[in-house]
Amino acid sequence: MSSSALSSSSTSMKIGFVGFGRFAQFLAKTFVRQGHTLHATSRSDYSTLCSQLGIQFYREVTTFLDADNDVVLISTSILSLPEVLRSMPLDRLKKPVLFVDVLSVKEFPREVLLQVLPEESDILCTHPMFGPVSGNDGWRDLNFMYEKVRIRDEDICSNFLKIFESEGCRMLEMTCEEHDRLAAKSQFITHAIGRALGEMEITSTPIDTKGFQTLVQVKDTVMSSSLDLFSGLFMHNRFARQELENLENALHKVKEMLIQETNEEQEKTEC
């Protein structure tokens, strides 16, 4: 075990991933480095990759649920969450488990988890505000949001949060509602602008300014994300529609301002 494993008194846990796509793989590498025992199940076959990472992969969700996890981490797409959860035979759980989601919206998974999970299951809603690109060089000073929705076993919850604390994350406890309100103004708007720039097919030029280089980077980062993520950010954050309208109105105001300035300048010239 590396010298950084289980730092800040983080106790080794058994953590099971439901969904093992790019973001889950990104998290799992740090979890493994810290000394936690990982299991995973997913619709796609990640058995070879998991074997390389030292993770037990289960093709069948029933055997995954039999694996005696302390934590079950939900890392599905936003859109597939209800279907995935409702398809799981949760009665196979041997003990109360902490369920953690890492989705980019929060009110939606909170309600689904409360509806579907057994009453004895603890629920922690989280959003690591970083990913494989922004967190590639470490997680120090990167934001990690969480809400303790239903927690009885404080030790398990605390140990899970220490995974991120020990990596230097900025820990932000807030309600799922407040998260979604803020995320609509930040993450969703970033994705909306990046998608718009993608539709414009902007690319680097020989005379790029620093500002334009930043826009290209935003476009490239956003376009590397799935359309399902962007759709989920819009469909399942009730504040997103208003922010999209605000963006549209702002662009219209900018256009009208430019037209007005142009007309006034032309009138001065004609005089």
Side-chain angles (χ1 to χ4, degrees):
M1 186 181 299
S2 68
S3 60
S4 62
L6 306 183
S7 58
S8 299
S9 301
S10 178
T11 302
S12 178
M13 294 182 292
K14 295 180 181 178
I15 304 174
F17 282 77
V18 177
F20 203 66
R22 185 182 177 210
F23 187 68
Q25 295 165 26
F26 163 70
L27 294 178
K29 291 174 183 177
T30 294
F31 290 12
V32 168
R33 175 173 55 77
Q34 288 191 3
H36 302 289
T37 300
L38 303 191
H39 307 131
T41 187
S42 192
R43 291 177 176 178
S44 299
D45 184 1
Y46 291 104
S47 53
T48 300
L49 174 61
C50 283
S51 178
Q52 294 170 351
L53 295 174
I55 299 169
Q56 178 67 50
F57 183 79
Y58 296 88
R59 289 186 173 87
E60 299 295 331
V61 69
T62 51
T63 52
F64 168 83
L65 292 174
D66 288 338
D68 199 30
N69 292 296
D70 301 307
V71 177
V72 171
L73 189 147
I74 310 297
S75 185
T76 66
S77 70
I78 297 170
L79 300 181
S80 67
L81 175 67
E83 178 187 354
V84 170
L85 277 181
R86 291 191 172 99
S87 70
M88 296 174 65
L90 296 171
D91 58 339
R92 296 292 294 260
L93 292 170
K94 298 178 181 178
K95 63 181 182 181
V97 172
L98 172 63
F99 280 80
V100 179
D101 90 277
V102 291
L103 276 62
S104 296
V105 297
K106 293 272 63 79
E107 286 189 306
F108 173 65
R110 179 184 185 277
E111 294 310 308
V112 173
L113 291 168
L114 286 170
Q115 291 171 12
V116 176
L117 294 181
E119 175 63 28
E120 62 271 18
S121 296
D122 283 0
I123 299 172
L124 179 68
C125 286
T126 79
H127 185 192
M129 307 296 296
F130 50 89
V133 176
S134 56
N136 183 59
D137 296 323
W139 301 355
R140 180 162 299 280
D141 296 328
L142 299 179
N143 293 330
F144 180 87
M145 169 272 165
Y146 66 97
E147 180 184 359
K148 297 179 180 180
V149 176
R150 186 171 70 199
I151 301 297
R152 299 181 185 87
D153 192 328
E154 289 287 351
D155 289 340
I156 291 293
C157 180
S158 176
N159 284 329
F160 180 81
L161 291 174
K162 283 177 182 175
I163 292 174
F164 297 88
E165 291 174 358
S166 66
E167 295 297 321
C169 289
R170 185 181 295 112
M171 308 298 287
L172 303 172
E173 185 171 9
M174 67 177 64
T175 66
C176 291
E177 176 183 359
E178 182 64 13
H179 167 276
D180 283 2
R181 190 187 305 275
L182 295 174
K185 295 177 180 293
S186 56
Q187 185 184 25
F188 172 72
I189 285 297
T190 301
H191 277 257
I193 292 173
R195 287 279 168 180
L197 295 174
E199 290 295 326
M200 294 173 63
E201 299 182 348
I202 69 164
T203 57
S204 296
T205 74
I207 56 170
D208 284 0
T209 61
K210 291 293 185 180
F212 184 72
Q213 289 174 356
T214 300
L215 288 179
V216 173
Q217 184 178 8
V218 168
K219 185 265 296 184
D220 290 343
T221 300
V222 166
M223 296 302 289
S224 70
S225 302
S226 69
L227 183 58
D228 273 1
L229 172 59
F230 185 44
S231 298
L233 292 175
F234 180 72
M235 293 170 58
H236 294 297
N237 183 335
R238 61 191 172 100
F239 302 104
R241 185 177 297 274
Q242 182 60 57
E243 293 305 322
L244 187 59
E245 291 177 2
N246 292 344
L247 176 61
E248 185 178 18
N249 291 335
L251 288 171
H252 178 72
K253 288 180 180 179
V254 169
K255 180 181 178 180
E256 291 298 309
M257 179 191 68
L258 290 173
I259 292 174
Q260 180 179 345
E261 289 290 322
T262 300
N263 290 339
E264 290 177 355
E265 188 64 29
Q266 288 175 345
E267 289 175 1
K268 291 179 183 178
T269 303
E270 291 172 359
C271 290

